[in-house]
Amino acid sequence: MDIFNSLLSNLNYGTIWFLMLLESTVIPVPSELVVAPAAYHAASGNLDVWLVVLFATIGADMGASINYVVAYFLGRPIIYKFANSRWGHACLLNQEKVEHSEKYFDDHGIVATLTGRLIPGIRHLISIPAGLARMNYWKFLLYTTIGAGCWHAILAALGWYLHTIVPESQLNDKIEEYSEYIKLAIVGIVVVAIVWFVVKYALRKRKTI
């Protein structure tokens, strides 16, 4: 924990990349407390906000790819065994969470790797069912990049905005407060988008009958 706190207090492009790599595996690193503060400092001129989003997204891609490859080659029994182990629980992981991410993937298909990156509780695990399903890696990487990039851009916009209204001593509290509203809004948008795609698909299929 001291190591994470040290990294969080010394944010640069390398630490942003590394922490987002960890966050996209199974290690509980809150992206809100990495990307938003980094963008806050970027607003002060210490970093470039576009590079913050870029390095965060590259890190997320690499972390998600690790999950994908592990799931692809090891399979469901070993993934579940790890999730139920002491190490899995230390990473705030359990079989129920993995099953939940699998159900989301099964319900929404490969686009779940994009929308799932925006949903709390699913974001860092959605690469596991993609690997288990042996989804085409390049499609997986494309959707992961888009989803992670959108999420990091939202967090960067939040951090940049907070620089104009709160001192750094209040930053983390405000990030947590605003993040809850953002998560709710994103879940709503994702639900509407999924419903729209389902209805559109059903209407198209009906016309072909």
Side-chain angles (χ1 to χ4, degrees):
M1 185 60 69
D2 290 339
I3 294 175
F4 288 133
N5 289 335
S6 176
L7 291 172
L8 288 171
S9 62
N10 294 283
L11 289 173
N12 54 53
Y13 303 125
T15 55
I16 293 166
W17 166 82
F18 179 65
L19 289 168
M20 289 302 89
L21 182 153
L22 295 181
E23 191 258 355
S24 286
T25 55
V26 294
I27 299 175
V29 178
S31 54
E32 298 92 334
L33 298 182
V34 177
V35 180
Y40 183 97
H41 294 306
S44 303
N46 297 324
L47 295 168
D48 183 293
V49 70
W50 299 107
L51 291 179
V52 167
V53 173
L54 176 63
F55 278 91
T57 303
I58 292 172
D61 281 347
M62 294 183 70
S65 293
I66 291 172
N67 276 3
Y68 173 93
V69 169
V70 169
Y72 188 101
F73 288 105
L74 297 185
R76 187 173 286 102
I78 294 179
I79 294 296
Y80 282 2
K81 185 175 181 179
F82 173 77
N84 291 322
S85 70
R86 183 178 64 179
W87 290 105
H89 293 162
C91 294
L92 305 181
L93 192 63
N94 56 50
Q95 184 172 327
E96 183 180 359
K97 289 182 178 180
V98 178
E99 289 176 342
H100 183 53
S101 67
E102 282 195 86
K103 184 178 186 305
Y104 184 86
F105 184 87
D106 291 339
D107 289 346
H108 304 105
I110 60 175
V111 74
T113 55
L114 190 161
T115 58
R117 295 294 312 186
L118 302 172
I119 298 178
I122 295 289
R123 182 182 311 119
H124 66 300
L125 297 178
I126 196 62
S127 50
I128 292 176
L132 293 175
R134 303 205 165 189
M135 175 183 176
N136 178 276
Y137 176 73
W138 298 111
K139 284 185 178 179
F140 163 78
L141 185 62
L142 174 63
Y143 289 145
T144 297
T145 300
I146 295 171
C150 288
W151 174 241
H152 296 146
I154 291 169
L155 293 180
L158 172 62
W160 191 278
Y161 167 70
L162 289 177
H163 182 266
T164 66
I165 63 171
V166 298
E168 189 170 358
S169 59
Q170 299 175 17
L171 179 60
N172 286 351
D173 290 336
K174 281 295 180 182
I175 288 172
E176 292 179 3
E177 177 186 338
Y178 279 76
S179 291
E180 292 304 312
Y181 299 130
I182 290 173
K183 288 173 184 177
L184 290 173
I186 287 175
V187 169
I189 291 169
V190 169
V191 169
V192 170
I194 289 171
V195 170
W196 184 80
F197 279 114
V198 169
V199 170
K200 185 177 179 181
Y201 173 78
L203 291 174
R204 186 186 304 136
K205 190 173 182 180
R206 188 175 178 180
K207 288 179 180 179
T208 60
I209 297 175

